[in-house]
Amino acid sequence: MTAGIAYVDTTLRDLATPPWGTAMDADDLSTATAELVTARPAVLEVMDSRAASTALEVRGESPWDRLRSVVRESGDVPVGLIVSGRTLWGTRPLGADVVARFAESARTSGVARIRGFDPLNNADMLVALAEGCGDGVEFVPTLILGAAPAAGDPRWVDEARALAALPGVTTLSLADKAGHLSPGELAALVEAVREATGLRIEVQVPAPGGLAPLLALAAVNAGAQAIQASTGAAAVIAARPSVESMRAAHKGTALPLDCDEDGVAHASRAVGDLIPAEQLRRATNAVYGSAVGLPPDLEAAVSWRMARHGLERIAGDAVAESARVAEDLGGLTLAHPLGEAIVSQAAQHLVEGERWREIDPILAQAALGHIGPLRGDVAPEARAAAEAASLPEEHAAPANLAQVRADGPERTSEEDLVLWAQFGDLAESLLRRRRSLGGELLAAPEEAGISRDLLETLVDVVERSGEAEVSVE
């Protein structure tokens, strides 16, 4: 294979992420993984906050179990995940030792790469994650791009330099999740960041209106050495560049896409079979409509919310109001966990016909500077709403590992305690179901064809191991 442009395959997390993703179980993920590795991506990026929360809330499955189902079929293709440095997959701020324990659980589950981000591009919030990855897991920081400040503002490069200085960094990801930058603006930023940091540049450019492949090509031509892409119809539902289009665009050039051509075609057909036709039709209508300045999943969510209130004709106003909310709060990005809260706040403004009567707790935290330094001033009415907000106790201070152990469910593995720290009741429901199932088997093991003594031994081994999963041969 000729050394060229690497591609990070995002198909699995796109398939498992609402609103377009199919509700795949762990077995479906395993099957899809076996197909995708034949295309020879540089990395399979399989889990982010929305995929993790959907696994718990919709499927009733542990994200760790789903992750391991991918690792078992990934062969020599590295598996990666994406987390916020401050809240990981959840919304609760977590201490450095919890973040480090998460990184260790990811490593022992077979993860080779963790891509971290902070919604305000605050490098200090990623130090614990970078140090937790250590030598065993590649850490890739992400510069989240947005509508503010302007594309040529030097603050973008300053933030990139700070992220590049984190421990062990060799690759920097630039993520424009809504086509905020034009292809020319993105190309100029890629050049500037590459020159300022000396790092390998990876780009993530999902965008509505058919912009995604144009942005990816512009970034590569400007010196980006890796792109995030999805396979076949999954690229349509996620509004990403497709592996097929990137391969075709660079075929015969000095920098071809590093992939297996036959494997790409094979994986594309297999992925197409996983997506229901109606979901694909609705996604196509949304993704290839007008470019709206919101990530496709958030744009779909706000459109559906407005339609439920009979306000579908002004759904476009909700998109504009989302940008205004972000600006009112000091130039926030749409990254997790802020993006959904910004869109929800915008929809609330339009439904109620009044701005800043109340505010989402996570946005109040941001407005008050508790999440990190803001790029701009907070509008007076937004600040007043934040100061009047009653913040839940869990939003007050990061939870450390000792606190999580003391407050979490008893007889729980360390990795499940970290899951509980992120998701609370959702994770606790999963743990209760596990215990209930174990109790049923112990009560009547003969029905499952299992020796009671053997089952009790296995349960004891798992509980004493401190792990959520133990392999037995």
Side-chain angles (χ1 to χ4, degrees):
M1 185 182 295
T2 304
I5 304 301
Y7 91 91
V8 176
D9 193 292
T10 62
T11 304
L12 292 175
R13 68 184 176 95
D14 292 335
L15 288 174
T17 301
W20 308 121
T22 57
M24 296 201 301
D25 62 20
D27 289 339
D28 295 327
L29 286 176
S30 295
T31 300
T33 301
E35 306 290 350
L36 290 169
V37 295
T38 64
R40 307 305 300 163
V43 179
L44 284 174
E45 201 170 73
V46 304
M47 187 77 66
D48 61 9
S49 59
R50 286 175 66 78
S53 60
T54 299
L56 276 169
E57 188 170 5
V58 177
R59 299 293 311 178
E61 296 175 349
S62 168
W64 295 119
D65 294 339
R66 290 169 70 87
L67 186 61
R68 284 187 283 262
S69 73
V70 171
V71 170
R72 282 193 288 268
E73 298 293 336
S74 63
D76 61 351
V77 176
V79 171
L81 50 80
I82 312 98
V83 295
S84 163
R86 183 172 182 268
T87 63
L88 299 175
W89 287 323
T91 59
R92 180 186 185 184
L94 301 169
D97 54 356
V98 179
V99 172
R101 187 60 183 83
F102 175 94
E104 173 63 16
S105 293
R107 184 191 66 79
T108 57
S109 294
V111 169
R113 181 179 110 147
I114 295 179
R115 184 162 63 81
F117 67 90
D118 178 77
L120 300 179
N121 291 328
N122 184 353
D124 290 343
M125 291 295 180
L126 292 169
V127 172
L129 183 60
E131 293 177 345
C133 287
D135 296 330
V137 176
E138 181 188 9
F139 171 68
V140 177
T142 304
L143 179 70
I144 302 292
L145 306 177
D153 193 293
R155 281 175 287 184
W156 291 118
V157 176
D158 291 342
E159 290 172 350
R161 285 196 187 97
L163 293 170
L166 288 164
V169 174
T170 59
T171 297
L172 178 64
S173 177
L174 307 188
D176 181 357
K177 299 182 67 177
H180 293 297
L181 277 62
S182 70
E185 290 169 338
L186 179 62
L189 184 59
V190 167
E191 290 180 356
V193 169
R194 188 179 181 191
E195 181 179 351
T197 65
L199 295 180
R200 177 176 180 267
I201 303 299
E202 174 182 311
V203 293
Q204 176 190 5
V205 286
L211 278 174
L214 301 179
L215 290 165
L217 285 171
V220 168
N221 290 336
Q225 292 139 300
I227 60 171
Q228 294 191 18
S230 204
T231 303
V236 175
I237 64 173
R240 292 189 192 276
S242 72
V243 179
E244 296 86 341
S245 64
M246 292 296 98
R247 183 196 62 77
H250 289 278
K251 188 174 183 177
T253 69
L255 290 173
L257 190 73
D258 274 346
C259 64
D260 183 286
E261 186 172 342
D262 292 336
V264 169
H266 178 76
S268 178
R269 288 191 295 270
V271 166
D273 293 338
L274 294 173
I275 303 174
E278 177 60 18
Q279 288 185 338
L280 184 59
R281 183 191 66 79
R282 292 165 64 187
T284 302
N285 290 340
V287 169
Y288 289 99
S290 59
V292 296
L294 280 181
D297 55 344
L298 294 182
E299 189 273 333
V302 74
S303 295
W304 289 346
R305 178 166 181 173
M306 299 304 292
R308 286 201 302 271
H309 291 279
L311 300 174
E312 59 269 19
R313 287 185 296 177
I314 63 169
D317 294 344
V319 174
E321 178 63 16
S322 296
R324 190 179 173 192
V325 166
E327 183 178 0
D328 282 356
L329 294 171
L332 301 183
T333 71
L334 295 170
H336 172 81
L338 300 180
E340 291 185 37
I342 288 170
V343 168
S344 178
Q345 186 78 37
Q348 180 180 331
H349 287 177
L350 294 176
V351 170
E352 296 180 350
E354 181 181 359
R355 302 187 80 243
W356 299 118
R357 184 176 62 80
E358 56 185 20
I359 187 172
D360 185 281
I362 192 70
L363 298 184
Q365 286 266 300
L368 297 174
H370 296 172
I371 292 179
L374 299 169
R375 296 190 179 93
D377 295 330
V378 177
E381 61 270 30
R383 177 172 292 279
E387 291 173 346
S390 177
L391 298 180
E393 186 176 333
E394 68 175 22
H395 287 270
N400 60 41
L401 195 54
Q403 179 184 347
V404 170
R405 287 170 176 152
D407 297 343
E410 296 181 354
R411 299 175 66 186
T412 301
S413 69
E414 289 278 290
E415 74 170 31
D416 281 339
L417 279 175
V418 172
L419 195 66
W420 175 83
Q422 298 169 74
F423 294 106
D425 290 343
L426 279 178
E428 196 158 351
S429 295
L430 171 70
L431 298 176
R432 282 198 300 267
R433 286 194 298 272
R434 281 180 175 172
R435 292 194 184 99
S436 175
L437 178 59
E440 290 174 6
L441 287 174
L442 283 171
E446 301 82 5
E447 296 179 10
I450 302 174
S451 160
R452 172 182 288 276
D453 290 342
L454 175 60
L455 184 58
E456 289 178 342
T457 299
L458 292 175
V459 170
D460 184 62
V461 167
V462 173
E463 289 178 347
R464 291 174 180 274
S465 71
E467 300 296 335
E469 181 178 276
V470 173
S471 297
V472 179
E473 298 181 357

